[in-house]
Amino acid sequence: MMSYSVRPINTTQTEVHDKLEEYVKRYQQAPRRRPVSEHTQLAFDAAIEWLGDWQGPIIFDSCCGVGESTAVIAAQYPDAKVIGIDKSAARLAKHTSYTNASSNYQVIRADVNDFWYLAQQHGIKLSHHFLLYPNPYPKPGQIQKRWHAGPAMPDFIALGGTIEVRSNWRLLLEEFRLALIIYGIESELTAVSGEPMTPFERKYLLSGQDCWRLVTQHRM
């Protein structure tokens, strides 16, 4: 079996950030101010056209990278429409190495901050929302760059559905779990098992690192 040498998370932060609750509540109450990027508006319009009059389950695979996970999710949920979203054209160009024969998914280039906003404004409600191996921004001063403590979190939550977040930094998911509680959502944190869903997960596991998954249970 191929092995990898992948550096673990390097951070001075050893416990939940002491300003986590402050930032989560600040953005929970703050109105959105940033304009929607043109390329994301066009991508969203194309996604809506693709969905058409679809009345079944809709799943987002946000920050999907090369889209391996999107193809995996589409195979796992053949009765759903699955949209993989990533901001990098270079990463999405590699999707041909991971694509499958399913016709129930698309991968698109868009800014997820704007895409989530447009989706919730459009009234989309998800059955599942995957956020797999987001950049952990491990420096304590970077906390507001983490999804759960940033301005896009209210739109992320408004989309609903079962949320699954994965990371090789358990503390990131512990923070995410506490942020979800502020929104009235319970979740469970467990170790990842089974086949890898992303190239990142595969590398982490083969290098001997632990990977973790946070899955929402129900809203309180």
Side-chain angles (χ1 to χ4, degrees):
M1 180 181 294
M2 185 180 298
S3 61
Y4 289 87
S5 177
V6 181
R7 288 184 296 178
I9 298 294
N10 182 17
T11 180
T12 58
Q13 186 180 335
T14 58
E15 57 186 22
V16 170
H17 200 287
D18 59 359
K19 291 188 175 181
L20 174 68
E21 183 174 355
E22 173 188 337
Y23 289 134
V24 174
K25 290 184 175 179
R26 174 189 299 178
Y27 290 119
Q28 187 180 27
Q29 300 167 4
R32 177 187 167 93
R33 292 188 173 89
R34 60 175 278 170
V36 173
S37 60
E38 182 179 2
H39 81 274
T40 297
Q41 181 69 65
L42 293 172
F44 180 76
D45 292 344
I48 293 300
E49 183 177 357
W50 176 68
L51 288 172
D53 59 357
W54 176 253
Q55 298 298 311
I58 300 174
I59 299 173
F60 282 0
D61 180 23
S62 292
C63 306
C64 68
V66 296
E68 177 181 4
S69 53
T70 313
V72 169
I73 292 164
Q76 290 177 343
Y77 298 92
D79 296 327
K81 293 282 191 179
V82 183
I83 300 176
I85 311 155
D86 199 89
K87 67 180 180 180
S88 171
R91 285 192 290 266
L92 291 174
K94 299 177 182 179
H95 179 65
T96 53
S97 299
Y98 302 97
T99 189
N100 62 29
S102 301
S103 61
N104 65 321
Y105 83 92
Q106 285 196 344
V107 292
I108 61 174
R109 178 177 174 263
D111 182 321
V112 295
N113 296 272
D114 294 344
F115 201 91
W116 294 344
Y117 170 73
L118 291 170
Q120 66 89 2
Q121 287 287 299
H122 194 77
I124 288 176
K125 292 296 182 183
L126 303 178
S127 63
H128 295 76
H129 197 165
F130 291 86
L131 185 58
L132 307 178
Y133 298 91
N135 188 329
Y137 291 107
K139 295 180 180 179
Q142 296 176 317
I143 180 159
Q144 293 180 82
K145 292 185 176 182
R146 301 171 195 168
W147 290 118
H148 52 275
M153 188 65 167
D155 294 327
F156 179 86
I157 295 297
L159 291 169
T162 297
I163 297 167
E164 178 165 346
V165 189
R166 295 193 181 193
S167 179
N168 62 326
W169 191 29
R170 181 179 175 124
L171 185 55
L172 180 76
L173 298 188
E174 290 175 353
E175 286 191 350
F176 212 112
R177 182 180 62 82
L178 293 174
L180 288 172
I181 288 174
I182 293 173
Y183 280 89
I185 303 172
E186 293 182 348
S187 58
E188 182 179 11
L189 178 58
T190 59
V192 167
S193 61
E195 291 296 316
M197 291 185 70
T198 71
F200 281 122
E201 185 168 272
R202 183 173 296 107
K203 288 192 293 185
Y204 295 145
L205 292 173
L206 288 176
S207 71
Q209 293 188 37
D210 293 324
C211 291
W212 306 91
R213 64 193 293 258
L214 184 72
V215 182
T216 57
Q217 304 301 300
H218 61 270
R219 294 175 185 263
M220 295 184 290

